[in-house]
Amino acid sequence: MGHGGDVIQELTTDHREVEEIFAQIEALPTGDKRRKDLADQATIELIRHSVAEEMHLYPAVRQYLPDGDAIADREIQDHSEAERTMKDLEGCRADDPQFDQLIGRLMREIREHVTDEEQNLFPQLRQAAAPEDLEQLGEKVRTAKKTAPTRPHPAAPDKPPANKLLAPGAGMVDRIRDALSGRGKTD
């Protein structure tokens, strides 16, 4: 799928890509090893997406929207819950009895979060921020995703400035681990 454009277009593209991975997981039979590979791929995309949102989108939400602090705090809480689910899922094989329960929970959490962002947050932000500001945010988000972690780190800071300082280092370590293990590679 094509990435680019303003922050809302960029993040919406991410949402569609993750939903496509979820659909592939749902199409496979329980216990199929490919479900775990796809869950790992979804986790990589979701973590990169979440870190970029926490670094750039939510500070903008706080700045532009009258109730931005409450909205950003709720969105970050959603991320924390999903990240804990991803951390639990990370330790499960596809044939583990807990796998289906955890991937089902993750899909529900993410789908609810996406619906809320696309139906509520994004329209409010589009109305409140100048188009050039949304374009700049889109570029910042794309840049952040390149160095963001690819594994869940539930204890890591999720607000600036600490998240902006620590995410690239964690991202580098995660990408090295992924390369060595083959995690996230699709055949």
Side-chain angles (χ1 to χ4, degrees):
M1 291 187 185
H3 284 271
D6 70 24
V7 68
I8 295 169
Q9 293 164 322
E10 179 68 21
L11 297 174
T12 300
T13 297
D14 288 352
H15 293 166
R16 295 300 162 271
E17 289 175 350
V18 169
E19 182 55 40
E20 188 175 297
I21 295 169
F22 286 169
Q24 291 175 38
I25 292 169
E26 290 171 325
L28 291 169
T30 297
D32 189 309
K33 180 197 171 300
R34 293 172 293 175
R35 288 170 58 98
K36 173 62 173 169
D37 295 338
L38 288 165
D40 286 345
Q41 187 62 43
T43 296
I44 290 168
E45 297 306 320
L46 288 166
I47 294 295
R48 292 171 59 238
H49 175 91
S50 295
V51 167
E53 283 186 335
E54 290 166 6
M55 289 173 74
H56 300 292
L57 177 68
Y58 299 144
V61 166
R62 292 178 194 284
Q63 175 186 345
Y64 290 109
L65 300 183
D67 54 348
D69 285 338
I71 293 170
D73 289 345
R74 185 181 71 243
E75 299 290 331
I76 290 169
Q77 179 60 37
D78 287 352
H79 284 190
S80 295
E81 291 169 14
E83 194 162 1
R84 283 190 295 275
T85 302
M86 286 183 269
K87 188 66 177 171
D88 292 342
L89 191 58
E90 190 177 43
C92 284
R93 293 188 345 228
D95 59 357
D96 185 312
Q98 256 201 317
F99 181 88
D100 285 340
Q101 184 254 341
L102 289 168
I103 195 68
R105 181 187 324 150
L106 180 64
M107 288 184 204
R108 278 188 308 279
E109 290 169 343
I110 297 305
R111 286 171 171 155
E112 288 171 11
H113 181 77
V114 164
T115 298
D116 182 54
E117 278 190 344
E118 292 184 5
Q119 291 180 359
N120 299 307
L121 177 61
F122 291 172
Q124 290 178 54
L125 189 60
R126 183 159 311 282
Q127 195 167 27
E132 52 274 7
D133 293 337
L134 295 176
E135 288 290 335
Q136 288 175 352
L137 279 172
E139 191 54 44
K140 287 178 180 180
V141 162
R142 279 185 289 284
T143 300
K145 288 191 298 184
K146 291 176 185 172
T147 60
T150 60
R151 294 173 181 259
H153 298 278
D158 51 21
K159 293 182 184 165
N163 65 344
K164 290 184 180 186
L165 295 171
L166 298 176
M172 183 178 68
V173 171
D174 287 353
R175 282 187 298 286
I176 290 169
R177 287 178 63 200
D178 292 345
L180 293 173
S181 69
R183 179 179 175 267
K185 301 288 184 230
T186 52
D187 297 328

